[in-house]
Amino acid sequence: MTFDPDPTSSATAGQDHDIDHGYDELLAGQLARMSRDLYQRGWMPGTSGNLSARLPGQDGHALITASGRDKGDLTAADLVVVRAHTGKTLRQGPLRASAETSIHAAVYRSTAAGAVIHVHAPHATAVASRTGGAQVAPLLLERFELLKGLGLADPSHTELPVFPNWPQVPRIADDVAAYLAANPQAPPGLLIADHGITAWGSDLAQARNHLECLEAVCQLLLLGARPAIAPATAAAETKGEPS
């Protein structure tokens, strides 16, 4: 079902989401404005990238950007209502939910996120391309002052997961859900090799802040700041070395 701010529209009549049309329209507008802003930064070129945010209430629904829409021209009409935990579209319509809806759903199932942003920010994407491989690769980040902007229990360090870019997006989503379930202290973000960055927060503003911090850290890494190797990776690399 596509988003329609008109409460008399047949597209929304009788659905099982208890719609607050005023709030839903406001949220759709916020998503569209943020999409245009991220496009202007060069983080969502063409139709790439996607954003979503939970709708209020206990029914577990979310608004997400439609597939194939130019992010620089996105409007409130270019949003689709889905079930937050599964990504299933509530009602078929002329728009399809983003092809990466399942990754958003994996984050919503596994965290308390209220909004998720996926972009192709250049520095994060470059780091993901250098770091990623055929399995999840935790990138240990230490000492960066910007880590304080991620709301971590211990902002002195964190491990940013880099996921393989499987052709089947649901497979990536399964990897994300499994990782987040096993690592509840993970940072509010992840990288996908050769693809981009996804970040989340309690709302769109916080998700954007987390995204900006992680992109800035990735820029510092590319400028020469040396990333630390995650402990498990370091142990594997040094095992068997002569003393």
Side-chain angles (χ1 to χ4, degrees), residues 115-183:
V116 180
I117 302 174
H118 168 67
V119 299
H120 297 253
H123 301 104
T125 303
V127 169
S129 298
R130 291 184 176 188
T131 309
Q135 59 186 6
V136 181
L139 178 64
L140 181 58
L141 304 175
E142 293 184 302
R143 304 181 302 276
F144 291 108
E145 187 73 11
L146 284 163
L147 295 180
K148 294 179 180 178
L150 299 179
L152 303 168
D154 180 359
S156 66
H157 68 281
T158 191
E159 290 185 4
L160 182 66
V162 185
F163 292 87
N165 187 25
W166 304 119
Q168 306 83 10
V169 175
R171 185 176 178 185
I172 302 174
D174 288 344
D175 285 352
V176 170
Y179 183 90
L180 293 176
N183 299 274

